[in-house]
Amino acid sequence: MRVIIQRVKSSQVTVNGETIGKIGRGLNLLVGIADTDTDAELDWMARKCLELRLFPDEEGGDRWQKSVQEIKGELLVVSQFTLYGDCRKGRRPSFDRSASPQTAENLYNSFVNKLRASGLQVETGKFGAMMQVDIENDGPVTLLLEREAT
């Protein structure tokens, strides 16, 4: 599983000109599901996204003091199978490591539910749709999280 995690001031996802998910301060998560991912990877990734200290304290001191849970931030979760695009050969990416659409959608929905269990506001894109994602990155802070099936 791969997640691009971005600290944002705001973020929104639009499909066919309609905004379907919108958040204020929090995290934008671009999520790629591999063909080998299981519930164990989802559990680890959800916990990591919720607990990483990526936000400053209230006094504006240390930039990495609080988690999204501690600031009661929001999450926008967008499926992005292209995170498993392999561009090492040829001129067209290979997506051999991406999970099949049905498997990926089930795991993606399970991941979103794990995040929602935190009690934070969680918005999503539309799985499999062409989406436009507007991200107001704060910092900018952008990290790649990866968890391989064991």
Side-chain angles (χ1 to χ4, degrees):
M1 184 172 189
R2 290 181 181 157
V3 173
I4 302 293
I5 185 170
Q6 298 172 298
R7 185 176 75 189
V8 299
K9 291 184 178 185
S10 66
S11 186
Q12 69 179 22
V13 62
T14 305
V15 176
N16 295 324
E18 179 186 347
T19 300
I20 62 169
K22 183 175 184 176
I23 65 167
R25 186 174 185 220
L27 299 175
N28 188 93
L29 306 177
L30 303 175
V31 179
I33 307 288
D35 57 357
T36 56
D37 285 340
T38 67
D39 215 41
E41 286 73 44
L42 302 179
D43 287 340
W44 183 91
M45 192 64 75
R47 189 172 54 254
K48 188 61 95 170
C49 290
L50 292 168
E51 294 177 358
L52 269 176
R53 291 198 258 169
L54 302 175
F55 295 88
D57 60 23
E58 291 79 20
E59 293 80 40
D62 189 344
R63 296 176 55 152
W64 308 94
Q65 205 54 251
K66 305 273 185 175
S67 71
V68 70
Q69 287 184 115
E70 292 171 307
I71 68 156
K72 296 186 181 6
E74 301 172 352
L75 300 160
L76 178 62
V77 187
V78 178
S79 172
Q80 190 165 352
F81 78 94
T82 60
L83 290 178
Y84 276 98
D86 184 350
C87 299
R88 291 178 292 177
K89 289 184 175 180
R91 298 183 300 157
R92 188 172 305 171
S94 167
F95 298 102
D96 291 346
R97 293 217 33 230
S98 293
S100 70
Q102 182 177 0
T103 298
E105 185 172 13
N106 290 338
L107 291 172
Y108 168 79
N109 289 332
S110 180
F111 178 65
V112 168
N113 288 334
K114 289 174 188 299
L115 294 171
R116 284 188 172 137
S118 71
L120 296 178
Q121 179 177 336
V122 179
E123 299 286 326
T124 65
K126 182 176 180 185
F127 189 91
M130 288 295 295
M131 297 175 273
Q132 289 70 50
V133 183
D134 294 313
I135 301 166
E136 185 181 3
N137 199 316
D138 182 21
V141 173
T142 301
L143 301 165
L144 170 63
L145 301 179
E146 187 165 18
R147 178 73 174 195
E148 298 287 331
T150 54

